[in-house]
Amino acid sequence: ATAQIGVTGLAVMGRNLARNFARNGYTVAVHNRTTAKTDALVEEFGDEGTFVAARTPEEFVAALERPRRLVIMVKAGDPTDAVIREFAPLLEEGDVVIDGGNAHFEDTRRREKELRERGIHFVGVGISGGEEGALEGPSIMPGGSKESYESLGPMLEKIAAKAKDGTPCTTHIGPDAAGHFVKMVHNGIEYADMQLIAEAYDLLRRVAGYSPAKIAETFRGWNTGRLDSYLIEITAEVLAHTDAATGKPFVDIVQDRAEQKGTGRWTVQIALDLGVPVSGIAEAVFARSLSGHADLREAARELPGPSATPLAEAEAAAFADRVEQALYASKIVSYTQGFHQIRAGSEAYDWDIDLGAVASIWRAGCIIRAAFLDRIRAAYDSRPGLVSLLSDDEFAQEIGAAQDDWRAVVAEAARQGVPTPGFAAALSYYDGLRADRLPAALTQGQRDYFGAHTYRRTDREGTFHTLWGGDRSETVAE
Ligand code: NBP
């Protein structure tokens, strides 16, 4: 046994992860169900480091130093269970099984429990950064036992992306499925970020009348400021790209239907279960879903739109500046919601997740990497008990300074008939939290009327019910 780590599942992610370990000086055992992929890896990249090619699960396990560390990088779902079933009987107490796929965190909880009973550590690891990140340094979100992190952590720290200050973008998130949960929310925030950027583009195009090339230039400008992020950077690239076949802007030849694989949907489903209002993420998932309903869209094409006058050309630049404010303010809200969900998950499952550490490891390597995350890290580090990002002084001040423009953009979008579900939901969340009194009082009154669901009073302790069908006198419930 010579390999310090093994990777089974050598599609794009597994292959690049194995190479990343090898490039960092580790001897890596590699295995894939279809052995041709194993051979291809060693043949193509064998000179990057030391690989041990294994043809069978037995060979693979035998190649690993004890305690064994083996990374499963196969398609999430049943294939992961199949691989675990195949390998688990070959493992011994103390070995560490790492699932680097995009597993649902409930699956990770189940697998962790099953393997723990056999003395095997199961570590669900969220990995973000796509194909390139896996090779060059991803953001890595490991769950699992503290003990397993002691053996695995230093290796992950070596292959992970490094933030500007040199800190590795990985940390022990918390026990069992904490890592996969945080990865799920990362992807939910990614959906929200992408939706907000798409809305900003749509407004610049349809309200300000900018061309895709001009919007690319605008985004490049934004990318040098507080919106500095990978997603803004690649958006500018996509918008500046011209289709070779037609000479048209690339964005105009792509069908306007956004697909999804499921992590955004999971984030919203779990948020509903936890009772966390992640309206920005939900609107992003629904916006993709709406885009895919060709039949509904076709049936609605003739519905009347507004008769608003378009913006005068002279106002376009000022409007673009307002869109930047709206985008930034909405982004603060989506991160507020995402971090709320992580806190809620951490409390529900007893994970004790350090929110500042999560922001810290998202600063590089992952898809939502952004300068902004350094500020979120600072906010949680200075006040670990921070209830909401919006209650951080700096963010509160910034969103306050942006709000007039943000409101103007949402109003103008409504006036011109341009959908901005992300911007509008974020603004409603902000105003909802700010409100002295919410109409929830009326909602509760309605609930009491039709279902005797009772209510609490503003002026007295206790639970009450009004006899709506009778003399409308108030009774004390309980
Ligand atoms: P895929 O998700 O396309 O999975 C392909 C791999 O799964 C191949 O190695 C295949 O083996 C193996 N596999 C399957 Br399918 N069924 C199997 C079974 N029953 N037993 C053994 N092996 C089986 O690969 P990927 O795109 O590299 O992603 C790997 C994981 O990483 C996924 O969970 C994905 O969600 C996650 N992830 C992907 C990205 C990304 O950007 N692509 C980013 C972050 C996380 P074969 O060669 O024999 O068919």
Side-chain angles (χ1 to χ4, degrees):
T2 53
Q4 289 134 308
I5 191 136
V7 179
T8 181
L10 302 174
V12 283
M13 289 295 287
R15 182 167 76 155
N16 282 355
L17 205 65
R19 290 172 62 198
N20 190 347
F21 278 116
R23 286 173 171 195
N24 276 288
Y26 296 110
T27 299
V28 188
V30 283
H31 172 266
N32 193 66
R33 178 180 62 178
T34 312
T35 53
K37 275 194 194 141
T38 317
D39 298 338
L41 165 61
V42 176
E43 195 173 313
E44 250 178 281
F45 306 108
D47 57 354
E48 289 184 356
T50 315
F51 295 99
V52 181
R55 326 213 111 252
T56 63
E58 289 75 13
E59 266 181 50
F60 182 62
V61 168
L64 294 168
E65 281 177 1
R66 302 235 22 229
R68 301 182 182 89
R69 289 174 284 247
L70 56 125
V71 182
I72 302 175
M73 233 24 224
V74 301
K75 205 178 188 69
D78 293 340
T80 308
D81 283 315
V83 172
I84 293 172
R85 269 197 306 276
E86 201 171 8
F87 284 87
L90 308 172
L91 299 175
E92 291 166 275
E93 227 177 286
D95 287 349
V96 183
V97 175
I98 300 127
D99 175 18
N102 267 336
H104 193 291
F105 81 98
E106 301 274 18
D107 284 336
T108 303
R109 280 169 66 76
R110 167 178 58 80
R111 291 167 184 149
E112 197 272 341
K113 189 164 171 283
E114 283 166 12
L115 288 176
R116 185 165 11 109
E117 280 159 14
R118 303 162 71 162
I120 297 167
H121 297 281
F122 183 79
V123 183
V125 178
I127 301 180
S128 177
E131 201 177 325
E132 191 189 329
L135 182 63
E136 306 290 346
S139 172
I140 311 178
M141 296 152 250
S145 65
K146 261 211 170 93
E147 205 181 331
S148 64
Y149 192 80
E150 274 163 29
S151 127
L152 186 67
M155 300 180 80
L156 297 183
E157 284 163 22
K158 223 162 173 186
I159 66 154
K162 307 293 179 292
K164 277 206 181 99
D165 62 7
T167 319
C169 288
T170 186
T171 187
H172 183 228
I173 302 281
D176 65 82
H180 272 141
F181 186 92
V182 165
K183 170 70 191 332
M184 173 188 79
V185 178
H186 164 284
N187 286 28
I189 293 174
E190 176 185 312
Y191 272 59
D193 262 347
M194 292 171 71
Q195 174 63 23
L196 295 174
I197 292 171
E199 291 177 18
Y201 151 77
D202 210 20
L203 289 164
L204 293 180
R205 186 105 193 241
R206 293 169 61 193
V207 179
Y210 282 12
S211 68
K214 175 135 180 149
I215 302 172
E217 195 188 304
T218 306
F219 279 10
R220 283 196 183 113
W222 292 356
N223 203 37
T224 62
R226 58 189 181 174
L227 282 169
D228 174 0
S229 62
Y230 171 72
L231 283 170
I232 292 277
E233 180 192 327
I234 64 157
T235 304
E237 294 295 310
V238 174
L239 286 172
H241 184 58
T242 305
D243 174 51
T246 59
K248 288 185 183 165
F250 167 78
V251 70
D252 288 347
I253 57 97
V254 178
Q255 287 193 11
D256 59 347
R257 275 185 310 182
E259 293 169 7
Q260 49 183 317
K261 275 196 178 163
T263 41
R265 188 177 66 236
W266 291 349
T267 310
V268 179
Q269 285 170 336
I270 302 304
L272 291 173
D273 292 342
L274 292 169
V276 181
V278 293
S279 48
I281 300 170
E283 288 295 353
V285 174
F286 287 141
R288 289 196 194 186
S289 157
L290 184 146
S291 80
H293 281 286
D295 51 346
L296 290 185
R297 293 177 62 189
E298 190 48 46
R301 213 167 285 281
E302 298 305 324
L303 292 177
S307 51
T309 40
L311 218 58
E313 216 177 308
E315 293 170 48
F319 181 73
D321 289 344
R322 274 185 224 120
V323 173
E324 193 269 351
Q325 298 276 1
L327 176 53
Y328 187 68
S330 304
K331 186 177 167 89
I332 294 175
V333 168
S334 7
Y335 282 72
T336 300
Q337 296 181 345
F339 276 86
H340 179 193
Q341 182 163 359
I342 296 176
R343 185 163 60 86
S346 178
E347 281 165 11
Y349 296 101
D350 233 350
W351 285 328
D352 197 21
I353 298 176
D354 174 346
L355 298 179
V358 170
S360 170
I361 68 164
W362 286 350
R363 287 180 299 168
C366 62
I367 304 297
I368 64 170
R369 62 184 180 259
F372 178 69
L373 280 153
D374 209 24
R375 312 234 341 268
I376 299 183
R377 179 195 59 80
Y380 281 113
D381 283 358
S382 64
R383 274 173 66 193
L386 195 67
V387 175
S388 157
L389 261 190
L390 287 179
S391 47
D392 172 70
D393 292 344
E394 263 190 56
F395 284 121
Q397 203 186 4
E398 280 185 315
I399 213 164
Q403 65 159 327
D404 286 345
D405 285 340
W406 188 14
R407 294 180 194 287
V409 166
V410 171
E412 187 61 26
R415 220 171 61 82
Q416 303 264 356
V418 176
T420 51
F423 284 4
L427 183 56
S428 288
Y429 177 87
Y430 177 71
D431 284 334
L433 287 185
R434 261 183 356 92
D436 263 348
R437 290 255 321 144
L438 289 168
L442 178 59
T443 310
Q444 195 57 23
Q446 292 164 326
R447 297 184 73 241
D448 190 56
Y449 188 105
F450 67 68
H453 291 300
T454 75
Y455 52 89
R456 291 179 182 278
R457 295 183 56 100
T458 56
D459 55 356
R460 263 182 284 147
E461 286 294 310
T463 312
F464 303 90
H465 169 55
T466 289
L467 300 170
W468 295 102
D471 65 357
R472 305 210 164 177
S473 60
E474 185 172 77
T475 59
V476 176
E478 242 144 57

